[in-house]
Amino acid sequence: MAAATARLPALQTVFGNFQRWNESGVTDRIHDALRAKFRDRSGRDPMASAGMVDVQAVNGADTVGTYTRGWDGGKRVNGRKRHVVTDALACWWSCW
């Protein structure tokens, strides 16, 4: 028996919708609502009172220009750094 194939919209359509949602703030509002619901169900205040900042050094691909990369001497990584803020439940709050 052959597996049923899903009929998905074209990648350009999906990405175009995502871009519009992202630019208008829809994805941020969805994320904030889900995080608040998760924190509430976990018995926590929906707004965190403390957070933890972490940094991750990520290798830059050969296709990434050298002017946008840097050298992390401690980890010996030539690439970019990601900064993330999470709360006690490991919910993501911010990234830059």
Side-chain angles (χ1 to χ4, degrees):
M1 179 185 245
T5 57
R7 294 179 184 248
L8 301 174
L11 176 62
Q12 296 84 0
T13 303
V14 173
F15 187 66
N17 286 331
F18 170 75
Q19 280 184 312
R20 282 196 305 282
W21 287 10
N22 210 29
E23 290 168 2
S24 66
V26 171
T27 52
D28 288 334
R29 288 193 301 274
I30 291 171
H31 179 261
D32 292 345
L34 290 173
R35 181 182 55 223
K37 191 171 196 170
F38 175 74
R39 287 185 58 82
D40 187 50
R41 285 188 176 182
S42 300
R44 301 282 187 137
D45 186 319
M47 292 300 297
S49 59
M52 183 179 103
V53 178
D54 196 9
V55 179
Q56 179 183 27
V58 182
N59 284 324
D62 292 336
T63 56
V64 176
T66 55
Y67 61 92
T68 64
R69 292 190 282 178
W71 176 254
D72 183 342
K75 295 184 180 180
R76 300 186 186 273
V77 172
N78 183 3
R80 296 179 176 164
K81 286 190 176 182
R82 306 191 261 223
H83 301 77
V84 180
V85 178
T86 61
D87 63 12
L89 299 174
C91 290
W92 176 83
W93 282 84
S94 180
C95 182
W96 68 95

